[in-house]
Structure formats: structure tokens, C-alpha cells
Amino acid sequence: VGVDCCGWVTRCFYQIGSATVRGSRATIRPTNPDTSIYLISALLTMPSLPIVLYPDPILRRMSDPVESFSRELKDLVDAMFETMYTEKGIGLAAPQIGRSQRLIVVDTSNAAPAPIALVNPEIVAYSGTTEYEEGCLSVPGYRAKVTRHASVSIRAQSVTGEAFQIHADGLQAICLQHEIDHLNGVLFFDHLSPLKKNMFGRWWKKHGKESSNS
Ligand SMILES: [Zn+2]
């Protein structure tokens, strides 16, 4: 079994498409010496935060745009990366740690850390469709095949407020769409057919409630 992300089975990592980033320092590549400094500082100083579980109402709220690019935002991003890696996820959205802010982190690389933080992300172009079995750290134990855009272009800001655009396909595109959905109060099972939503409802009655009582 592969890494569990904002819950995914990630055995298909070899299918990950490449992602290019223009004009931003928000995407930190493993070859960038800043990366290791960033990660080490995150690992040493930031505690892992508890994950908010469905059906907590914050997961259904429209998150607020980030307006202040402060030290606090940087600390929050560090804590989100730490939480995501601790939970063996490949993506995390701020509402999942109880913050209703338009902020996501993703790292879909299986080879080396390739963390990306996106503040106020917005899908500006997309093409194709793809299907992938998704899960979510906020809905532990449930997985379902979801159809999404195969590739996306996303406009966002870095933690220091610089605007950039990222083009993604493969697992990274799927993960980015899943996390941006969280900022709009959308969960992955919302994309299912009515029949499969019913199946989720039955699963939830049987397995979900106990896990969300904490
Ligand atoms: Zn999720």
C-alpha cells in the first residue's frame, strides 16, 4: 500500500506528470538548497496539528481569502507541511486543521520532498478528464473513484504574497483540485453519482460516526 494522502492510494506515482512553475519561489524544488533549510526548520519547530474530521461544519464552509502575508502565515504553512507529512498525506487544506483560510499545501513526489504551498489558489484553465481513487484525511477509511480535470493551470500566491502560476497534470493535478475543493466546502464524495453517494451514506452510518466523535 502506498502513501495515504489527503488520502490517496499512491501506487501510481510513476504516472505523475511534471509540473512547471513560473515566477515564484513558492514551489521549492528538492534541488533548491532553500528546500532543505525550509524542511529542516519545519520539522524542528512545528508541531503536527490534529486533523478536523467530517462532518465538522468547517469542512463545509467557504474559506476566507488570505490577506495578511505575515510571519504567522509562514508558521501556519510550516505546521501544515508537518501535519501532512506526519499523516502521510500528499495534500492538506487549511480547513482540515481548523482554519477557514484559502491556503493549501501539496507534495506529490515519491522521490524527494517537493513541497508546494499555494495561497488563494484559483483554477484558471483546465483540460481533459481523469479518474482516480481518492480518499481524504478528514474522512479516514473511505475511498472512491472521482473524475476530475486531467490537467489544470492554477494562479496563486506564495507565502510571501508573490503571484505565480502553476501547470499540473497527473496526480499533482488531482491533488490540487481535491485541496482547492476543500477551500470551497466541497468534499471528494460530493463528486460521486447519486448511487455512489448513497453508498457513502451507508458506509458513513456503519463506519464513519465512531471515528468522528473525537
Ligand atoms: Zn481531503
Side-chain angles (χ1 to χ4, degrees):
V1 177
V3 181
D4 219 22
C5 140
C6 199
W8 332 64
V9 176
T10 50
R11 274 172 280 198
C12 303
F13 263 133
Y14 58 89
Q15 293 177 338
I16 297 169
S18 61
T20 55
V21 175
R22 285 183 293 277
S24 170
R25 296 179 48 179
T27 296
I28 306 159
R29 287 284 164 207
T31 48
N32 180 343
D34 286 345
T35 305
S36 47
I37 295 164
Y38 187 88
L39 280 177
I40 289 164
S41 77
L43 291 172
L44 287 177
T45 59
M46 287 301 143
S48 177
L49 301 168
I51 299 283
V52 171
L53 298 178
Y54 174 83
D56 192 299
I58 198 170
L59 296 173
R60 289 310 200 181
R61 210 176 289 162
M62 184 70 87
S63 295
D64 298 321
V66 172
E67 285 166 356
S68 171
F69 293 84
S70 58
R71 173 75 212 192
E72 193 198 330
L73 180 68
K74 168 78 166 54
D75 289 345
L76 179 60
V77 166
D78 286 348
M80 285 175 66
F81 275 124
E82 177 60 13
T83 305
M84 181 182 78
Y85 290 126
T86 300
E87 300 292 336
K88 296 182 167 49
I90 58 170
L92 190 70
Q96 293 182 278
I97 47 126
R99 302 289 290 262
S100 201
Q101 288 182 276
R102 303 192 75 78
L103 169 62
I104 63 172
V105 296
V106 300
D107 186 349
T108 52
S109 168
N110 67 336
I116 314 174
L118 296 97
V119 182
N120 301 323
E122 197 186 338
I123 296 172
V124 292
Y126 56 83
S127 64
T129 57
T130 187
E131 192 185 56
Y132 193 79
E133 189 179 70
E134 297 184 21
C136 181
L137 291 176
S138 295
V139 194
Y142 189 73
R143 286 197 171 82
K145 277 188 182 169
V146 175
T147 302
R148 295 192 186 270
H149 306 307
S151 68
V152 285
S153 292
I154 292 166
R155 195 160 51 207
Q157 283 166 286
S158 71
V159 287
T160 49
E162 291 130 304
F164 68 97
Q165 197 158 319
I166 176 171
H167 179 76
D169 52 23
L171 183 61
Q172 190 181 44
I174 294 165
C175 187
L176 284 164
Q177 290 170 82
H178 178 119
E179 303 311 333
I180 290 172
D181 270 357
H182 274 299
L183 306 183
N184 298 323
V186 174
L187 296 168
F188 74 106
F189 55 76
D190 296 333
H191 291 281
L192 302 176
S193 67
L195 179 70
K196 291 202 169 141
K197 267 186 212 159
N198 258 326
M199 285 164 66
F200 169 74
R202 285 202 298 275
W203 176 89
W204 170 251
K205 275 188 190 146
K206 207 171 169 188
H207 304 285
K209 281 181 178 168
E210 317 87 66
S211 67
S212 291
N213 283 339
S214 55

